[in-house]
Amino acid sequence: MRPRAKLDWTRISRWLRGLWPDRNPLRRACDRAEAAIGALLLGAFLIGAPLLALACGQWAASAALRAQDAQRATRYQVTAVLTANAPAPVPGVYGAQLQTAAPARWTAPVGITRTGNVFAPPGAKAGSPVTVWVDRAGHLTSPPLQLSDVAGQRVLAALLSPVVLGLVLLGAWKLARQVLDRRRMAAWDADWRGNGPTRARLRCT
């Protein structure tokens, strides 16, 4: 195990020395540019990732809080009355009993009576009250965002933003490598056309 780890660290150190800009006469300008671009992109990620995570987390939390305020202003909690018995309990995962849909009747905030299927406890009898969320017209809707939902969106944005930044910088690195590789190939071709035939003749004489 130890020799293998030593070999890995040797490869890493060689790779780092290959990127380090030195005065090696065999190193072309494209090689130095590649090292500089790599160092710049790495620094951009190390500095930008924490800042971007913080900014995106705050932005996601602010957006979720605004959505929460808007939902609280347009969604209302009313009491619906079951008009029929709810279905019998349905076994769920690990023995949990899932809520079932049952017909019910409720009154909208504007005074209109609405009917429809609502989630009710399994086996609930007709006439049982059930709390539901509706809009102003009385149509069923989901409850407003909770603080746990806001925190979850903040954490998700903070975790995904460095990943996106890393992918963008990796794409920029690959694009720069392609451009520099083409320039290196062009320089090698030009050097071969200029010096290759002369060296070949010297070897034949």
Side-chain angles (χ1 to χ4, degrees), residues 101-172:
R105 180 180 62 254
W106 62 91
T107 301
V110 294
I112 301 175
T113 300
R114 298 285 186 184
T115 59
N117 290 329
V118 300
F119 286 109
K125 302 299 182 182
S128 299
V130 177
T131 301
V132 295
W133 285 91
V134 298
D135 58 16
R136 185 172 180 79
H139 300 293
L140 293 173
T141 184
S142 59
L145 290 174
Q146 303 299 315
L147 291 179
S148 59
D149 301 324
V150 175
Q153 293 187 17
R154 180 173 188 169
V155 171
L156 182 62
L159 292 177
L160 289 181
S161 54
V163 177
V164 175
L165 176 62
L167 293 176
V168 171
L169 295 179
L170 182 61

Side-chain angles (χ1 to χ4, degrees), residues 14-183:
R14 288 178 180 175
W15 180 76
L16 291 176
R17 285 197 302 269
L19 291 179
W20 190 262
D22 52 20
R23 297 182 179 181
N24 188 344
L26 298 179
R27 187 183 296 275
R28 297 177 181 270
C30 292
D31 301 327
R32 295 188 176 89
E34 180 180 346
I37 293 174
L40 180 63
L41 294 178
L42 180 59
F45 178 80
L46 295 178
I47 297 175
L51 298 178
L52 184 63
L54 179 62
C56 289
Q58 292 179 348
W59 174 84
S62 299
L65 289 175
R66 289 193 298 269
Q68 184 186 58
D69 293 338
Q71 291 175 1
R72 286 179 175 176
T74 57
R75 300 182 183 186
Y76 306 88
Q77 201 173 28
V78 299
T79 300
V81 178
L82 298 183
T83 58
N85 295 337
V90 178
V93 181
Y94 303 114
Q97 293 184 355
L98 303 178
Q99 285 190 325
T100 56
R105 180 180 62 254
W106 62 91
T107 301
V110 294
I112 301 175
T113 300
R114 298 285 186 184
T115 59
N117 290 329
V118 300
F119 286 109
K125 302 299 182 182
S128 299
V130 177
T131 301
V132 295
W133 285 91
V134 298
D135 58 16
R136 185 172 180 79
H139 300 293
L140 293 173
T141 184
S142 59
L145 290 174
Q146 303 299 315
L147 291 179
S148 59
D149 301 324
V150 175
Q153 293 187 17
R154 180 173 188 169
V155 171
L156 182 62
L159 292 177
L160 289 181
S161 54
V163 177
V164 175
L165 176 62
L167 293 176
V168 171
L169 295 179
L170 182 61
W173 168 250
K174 289 186 176 181
L175 180 61
R177 286 287 303 272
Q178 292 178 358
V179 173
L180 293 174
D181 286 342
R182 286 197 293 266
R183 298 197 58 160

